[in-house]
């Protein structure tokens, strides 16, 4: 079972190695799902924008102008997985795609998805549940990095204030 391996890798990843860990895990996730494509996308629902922050593919190029995105984002915002057949997302000729939302504090921040040129009728129920667990772990890991980055920024700002203060501080 790949689930314990993936969750352990994400939980153990130091903040500065999270991106590399996600990149390392995407082909493992794709292989376990029988997919030729896996991605993590950042979603900005307010402007309808999607950025593929991490992707792995077996020599497949992304569709740069997918028309499915508005309904895709709407579905993920509801907290539900998005499953589609014969879609152009994430690439032309995708016979089957599944995306699960990445939520932080109840808000959609991204998606974890897999896609294949072959139909996968088994990509429902248990397979989507496993993908959702992995997505929750990725969201938690990205949230941990966000918190760490914010804490580091506050520490740098405090150091600057102290360093440039004309009065001695204790």
């Amino acid at each position: 079972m790949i689930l314990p391996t993936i969750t352990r890798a994400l939980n153990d990843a130091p903040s500065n190695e999270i991106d590399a860990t996600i990149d390392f895990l995407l082909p493992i996730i794709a292989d376990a799902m029988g997919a030729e494509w896996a991605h993590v996308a950042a979603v900005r629902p307010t402007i309808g924008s999607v950025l593929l922050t991490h992707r792995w593919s077996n020599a497949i190029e992304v569709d740069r102008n997918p028309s499915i995105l508005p309904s895709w984002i709407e579905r993920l915002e509801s907290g539900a997985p998005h499953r589609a057949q014969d879609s152009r997302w994430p690439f032309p000729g995708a016979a089957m795609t599944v995306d699960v939302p990445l939520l932080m504090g109840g808000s959609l921040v991204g998606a974890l998805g897999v896609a294949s040129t072959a139909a996968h009728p088994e990509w429902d129920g248990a397979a989507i549940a496993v993908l959702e667990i992995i997505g929750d772990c990725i969201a938690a890991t990205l949230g941990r990095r966000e918190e760490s980055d914010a804490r580091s920024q506050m520490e740098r700002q405090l150091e600057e204030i102290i360093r440039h203060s004309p009065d001695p501080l204790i």
Side-chain angles (χ1 to χ4, degrees):
M1 182 90 188
I2 65 158
L3 197 51
T5 303
I6 290 171
T7 56
R8 190 174 315 111
L10 288 166
N11 288 334
D12 293 348
S15 242
N16 62 339
E17 293 180 16
I18 289 172
D19 289 326
T21 301
I22 292 171
D23 288 337
F24 172 77
L25 292 173
L26 284 180
I28 295 169
I29 295 166
D31 184 55
M33 295 287 292
E36 292 96 6
W37 174 280
H39 68 258
V40 171
V43 177
R44 293 174 187 84
T46 55
I47 59 173
S49 152
V50 175
L51 173 66
L52 291 174
T53 57
H54 303 276
R55 72 177 179 160
W56 174 87
S57 71
N58 190 7
I60 295 172
E61 282 301 313
V62 69
D63 181 3
R64 297 282 179 202
N65 191 21
S67 59
I68 191 174
L69 285 183
S71 64
W72 181 82
I73 291 172
E74 186 178 303
R75 173 95 177 169
L76 293 174
E77 276 185 304
S78 75
H82 182 274
R83 185 173 180 266
Q85 290 183 278
D86 302 320
S87 170
R88 288 189 48 87
W89 172 256
F91 57 86
M96 179 72 70
T97 64
V98 175
D99 290 275
V100 296
L102 301 181
L103 304 170
M104 282 188 209
S107 297
L108 179 67
V109 296
L112 167 64
V114 293
S116 177
T117 55
H120 287 278
E122 71 277 7
W123 282 8
D124 59 6
I128 291 177
V130 168
L131 209 56
E132 286 177 313
I133 292 168
I134 295 169
D136 289 346
C137 289
I138 289 173
T141 301
L142 293 173
R144 181 170 43 94
R145 180 178 64 191
E146 226 176 67
E147 289 172 6
S148 175
D149 291 350
R151 188 173 32 257
S152 294
Q153 182 179 354
M154 281 194 327
E155 288 171 358
R156 283 191 301 276
Q157 288 173 340
L158 185 56
E159 286 174 7
E160 285 296 310
I161 290 169
I162 291 171
R163 185 176 308 130
H164 292 96
S165 174
D167 299 322
L169 299 173
I170 297 176

